Amino acid sequence: MSPIEVSLQAALDALGDPVRRRIVRELAVVPDWTRPCGTFNDLPVAKSTLSHHFAVLRNVGLLEQRDEGTRRLNRLRRAEFDARFPGLLTLVLAEDEG
Amino acid sequence: MSPIEVSLQAALDALGDPVRRRIVRELAVVPDWTRPCGTFNDLPVAKSTLSHHFAVLRNVGLLEQRDEGTRRLNRLRRAEFDARFPGLLTLVLAEDEG
């Protein structure tokens, strides 16, 4: 899904979850295609829940994934999402988890 | 509540509701302190639900209210909210309800 087709409602729903915002922040600080899904096991959710979070992020155009061997690698679609929803990702990246 | 004290989570929760975004958009096109709560009866929700929506918007610093006679007048705290969450209100005001 390209962010261009995404509604504000869907974007707000996706980013309304603190675990998804944390995934976004963690991907923002590593190069594209370097962080496999399997390395997010420090998050306080079940593996199936984590898969759901990744799917939601893909569906609003925030995340792109590709398989490489047994690993599923991730890329944050930062520029594309910024172009569609200016400022929104910046707020998420600047968030203090407290 | 001043927006300065509001978390991103609370702001996203408040703006995650389409009726609340519509209230915000309607207030954005009228001068401050001119639109009474009683004039939002075109919205497809019960009066008690509407009161709840106004309370949520007050609690994230988006809305200020004052009573004048029997009317409760509203002001959108646009500049203050913009300063705390740059870009977020702009996305809401530009939203196409489709």
Side-chain angles (χ1 to χ4, degrees):
Chain A
M1 174 73 87
S2 159
I4 208 90
E5 306 164 59
V6 172
S7 68
L8 179 61
Q9 182 70 62
L12 293 175
D13 286 345
L15 292 173
D17 184 280
V19 173
R20 290 197 285 269
R21 292 199 303 280
R22 184 162 154 192
I23 293 172
V24 167
R25 279 192 296 274
E26 294 201 12
L27 285 173
V29 295
V30 297
D32 289 351
W33 309 120
T34 58
R35 179 107 192 239
C37 288
T39 64
F40 283 87
N41 45 17
D42 55 317
L43 295 176
V45 293
K47 195 174 170 181
S48 61
T49 307
L50 198 54
S51 296
H52 168 71
H53 286 321
F54 281 120
V56 172
L57 293 174
R58 279 199 312 273
N59 288 340
V60 294
L62 258 170
L63 187 69
E64 199 175 1
Q65 297 185 313
R66 71 179 185 210
D67 292 331
E68 199 169 274
T70 59
R71 303 185 311 165
R72 173 156 288 184
L73 299 177
N74 294 284
R75 179 178 86 86
L76 191 64
R77 301 179 70 163
R78 193 163 173 172
E80 301 101 303
F81 197 84
D82 271 340
R84 171 70 182 90
F85 301 108
L88 190 49
L89 209 44
T90 303
L91 292 173
V92 171
L93 299 182
E95 184 183 16
D96 181 356
E97 287 184 59
Chain B
M1 173 76 84
S2 161
I4 208 89
E5 306 165 60
V6 172
S7 68
L8 179 60
Q9 182 70 62
L12 293 174
D13 286 345
L15 292 173
D17 184 279
V19 172
R20 289 197 285 267
R21 292 200 302 279
R22 184 162 155 192
I23 293 171
V24 166
R25 278 192 297 274
E26 295 201 12
L27 285 174
V29 296
V30 296
D32 289 350
W33 308 121
T34 58
R35 180 105 191 237
C37 288
T39 63
F40 284 86
N41 45 17
D42 56 319
L43 294 178
V45 293
K47 195 173 171 181
S48 60
T49 308
L50 198 54
S51 296
H52 168 70
H53 286 322
F54 281 120
V56 171
L57 292 173
R58 279 199 312 272
N59 287 339
V60 295
L62 259 168
L63 188 68
E64 199 175 2
Q65 298 185 311
R66 71 178 186 210
D67 292 331
E68 198 169 273
T70 59
R71 304 186 310 164
R72 173 158 290 186
L73 299 176
N74 292 285
R75 178 178 86 86
L76 191 64
R77 302 178 69 164
R78 194 165 174 170
E80 302 99 303
F81 197 83
D82 271 340
R84 171 68 182 91
F85 301 107
L88 191 50
L89 209 44
T90 303
L91 292 173
V92 171
L93 299 182
E95 184 182 16
D96 181 358
E97 287 183 62

